[in-house]
Amino acid sequence: MTQRLTARQQNVYAFIVKTINDHGYPPTRAEIAQALGFRSPNAAEEHLRALERKGAIRIVRNTSRGIRLPLKASRDDAQTPHNPVQGLPIIGEVAAGSPMLAAEHIDRYCPLPPEYFTPRADYLLRVHGVSMKDAGILEGDLLAVHRTEHVRDGQIIVARLDDDVTVKRFSRQGNRVQLLAENSDFAPIDIDLRTQTLDIEGVGVGVIRGGNGQALG
């Protein structure tokens, strides 16, 4: 990749990568348009041409699934247990008290370069539930997470509270922290840092629409 992608281009590229990972072949223009809410396949085609100009993909003309990933590892040697796909690990269920990136938590790898997110992503977290739906983080999405303990008010974070890992918006006043849902059906989680432990696992830096399987949120 020679040029940075826009946020929309990142979404298109991520959907292409996910489709190839899940099904073994790239999506059609119509599938891209439907998945990402474009009005027509022509809008998807415009994004594909922009991705090609930036070197992210190669388009094979006159074929409905003619999208190729120049930087994608060979499928023949990328899926073996001792040589996983290089890229961002997709984290599934997290056992109580264990490190987020422990091997047993990694479902698979997504060959999406960490630098496609700013700041760079360290892993993708499967989202479960609808507590963050008004922030555009939906059931089944993959949240790109940058590992850090330093967060600011208003940021969407991944936090560990007791034995639970959750995705919420961060708010702090002195020793009082609130983890805020983006859904009026969910009450804030109130934390007193003098008596409770809150571990920050990272900050959300992007969303990939339509991951699948069991999730956290």
Side-chain angles (χ1 to χ4, degrees), residues 24-58:
Y25 51 79
T28 64
R29 276 68 168 171
E31 289 167 348
I32 294 172
Q34 181 178 15
L36 299 180
F38 297 150
R39 291 186 177 181
S40 71
N42 288 337
E45 178 68 24
E46 292 178 8
H47 287 291
L48 292 177
R49 290 179 180 176
L51 288 172
E52 184 178 42
R53 288 194 298 270
K54 292 184 176 182
I57 64 171
R58 181 171 60 86

Side-chain angles (χ1 to χ4, degrees), residues 87-131:
L88 295 171
I90 298 176
I91 307 299
E93 293 287 352
V94 177
S98 60
M100 180 69 75
L101 289 172
E104 62 267 26
H105 302 158
I106 298 174
D107 288 348
R108 57 188 175 86
Y109 287 79
C110 175
L112 188 66
E115 295 80 10
Y116 277 11
F117 302 94
T118 304
R120 58 178 286 141
D122 293 292
Y123 59 89
L124 302 171
L125 181 66
R126 295 183 183 275
V127 175
H128 174 70
V130 296
S131 67

Side-chain angles (χ1 to χ4, degrees), residues 155-170:
Q155 288 186 307
I156 292 175
I157 67 167
V158 177
R160 190 189 296 265
L161 182 63
D162 297 325
D163 290 336
D164 296 323
V165 172
T166 187
V167 178
K168 294 291 183 291
R169 195 174 294 280
F170 180 82

Side-chain angles (χ1 to χ4, degrees), residues 144-155:
V145 183
H146 171 69
R147 294 185 71 186
T148 180
E149 296 179 356
H150 304 290
V151 298
R152 303 187 306 272
D153 272 9
Q155 288 186 307

